[in-house]
Amino acid sequence: MQTVMVYSEAGGVSKTTTAVSLAMVAAEQGMKVLLVDLDPRAATTKWTGVEPTSPGLDVGAILADEDPEGWAEDIAVQSLWSNNLRVIPSSRSVSNREKDSSDHLDVRLRTSLIGCTADLVVIDCPNRQGGPLTQSALNAADTVLYAARPTTDGLDGFEGAQLTIQKFLATRKRLGVPATLVEAGIVVGGYKDTVTPRAAIASVEVLRETGLLLTPLIPERTIVNDVRLSGEWYGNYRKGAPVLDAYKEVAKKVLR
């Protein structure tokens, strides 16, 4: 089982679009996928239209329990989009976990994945700077995929996220704990491929210099935001094909 965290420390950089798209691409290719919404904004939850099987049975319940072994399998909700996709929903109350100082909170998400039957777990992370929610993702994941847009905010979000990853890996090294988290690369979403602003071109070049930029860049299409409002998958629409095709190519470079 591969566990991918989709991460940026900036908002509005296509993080949720990337997490959902990666999950759906894998599901449509026949993989059993678990999509975890770790963001209190619950953007993934709202887009996919899932609801907890019982009140309170969202990702916050996992983080609040001292021994959540196997919970991910139990509370995952079947998506109507694909028989191969299940989602662990989030809620605004999950933000309370950022104030939680309980012992071992940062490994509860990983513990909940014990016994999970998914081939792939995708975690939509909050844009937080190393707090308990981010630490939960870091401890659960073996792969980090950075999400960015070709903007100043996109660059800042990537740089902050990479610094958090580096600090996490350095800490594990000091403790003598094996570091299994690898950087899969940077996905640039919302790229205006018809008339591209100079600032966007410059931002992409900065990201390219890191050696982590994944291609193709994800083109901007209004259909993506349109269907998010209605809880639909853009891949079902002809106008969404350029976006879906780009994510399929990126997935080949990220998924094992």
Side-chain angles (χ1 to χ4, degrees):
M1 182 175 72
Q2 181 181 10
T3 303
V4 181
M5 59 180 287
V6 182
Y7 187 34
S8 170
E9 290 189 359
V13 294
S14 300
K15 183 169 52 61
T16 295
T17 300
T18 295
V20 171
S21 298
L22 184 66
M24 274 299 290
V25 165
E28 291 182 336
Q29 291 176 352
M31 297 178 69
K32 294 181 179 179
V33 183
L34 178 63
L35 178 57
V36 181
D37 191 351
L38 196 57
D39 193 337
R41 297 180 308 124
T44 286
T45 301
K46 295 171 185 174
W47 186 3
T48 55
V50 299
E51 294 184 1
T53 54
S54 296
L57 283 186
D58 54 40
V59 72
I62 290 174
L63 300 178
D65 194 274
E66 292 183 358
D67 185 18
E69 182 174 336
W71 275 42
E73 189 72 17
D74 293 338
I75 72 174
V77 180
Q78 178 63 50
S79 169
L80 297 178
W81 289 5
S82 169
N83 290 332
N84 289 328
L85 177 66
R86 293 180 299 159
V87 182
I88 295 182
S90 187
S91 66
R92 291 178 63 87
S93 63
V94 173
S95 61
N96 294 332
R97 301 277 71 81
E98 291 283 33
K99 306 171 186 176
D100 194 336
S101 57
S102 301
D103 291 342
H104 312 304
L105 185 151
D106 57 346
V107 297
R108 291 176 184 175
L109 180 58
R110 184 181 71 185
T111 301
S112 77
L113 293 172
I114 294 175
C116 181
T117 58
D119 302 308
L120 172 69
V121 177
V122 180
I123 305 172
D124 184 9
C125 298
N127 54 324
R128 308 292 173 89
Q129 298 180 5
L133 296 181
T134 300
Q135 290 298 317
S136 295
L138 289 168
N139 281 288
D142 52 47
T143 307
V144 57
L145 180 62
Y146 299 109
R149 275 188 175 250
T151 62
T152 300
D153 285 346
L155 292 176
D156 289 345
F158 158 69
E159 290 170 356
Q162 188 177 50
L163 181 59
T164 294
I165 297 297
Q166 291 171 347
K167 289 180 178 179
F168 173 76
L169 294 175
T171 297
R172 291 182 74 85
K173 184 176 181 180
R174 285 197 300 270
L175 294 174
V177 180
T180 58
L181 186 64
V182 298
E183 296 174 303
I186 307 166
V187 177
V188 173
Y191 188 73
K192 297 181 179 179
D193 57 343
T194 50
V195 179
T196 308
R198 290 183 180 179
I201 295 173
S203 296
V204 168
E205 288 308 309
V206 172
L207 293 172
R208 195 185 308 277
E209 290 173 1
T210 67
L212 291 171
L213 182 66
L214 297 175
T215 55
L217 307 179
I218 311 299
E220 183 176 66
R221 295 293 187 271
T222 57
I223 185 67
V224 176
N225 286 330
D226 290 346
V227 299
R228 284 183 65 165
L229 295 174
S230 57
E232 298 175 90
W233 168 232
Y234 67 80
N236 293 334
Y237 294 86
R238 178 180 57 81
K239 291 182 178 179
V243 180
L244 180 58
D245 289 345
Y247 273 116
K248 285 180 178 179
E249 290 301 312
V250 166
K252 292 177 183 178
K253 302 173 183 179
V254 175
L255 302 181
R256 295 199 297 264

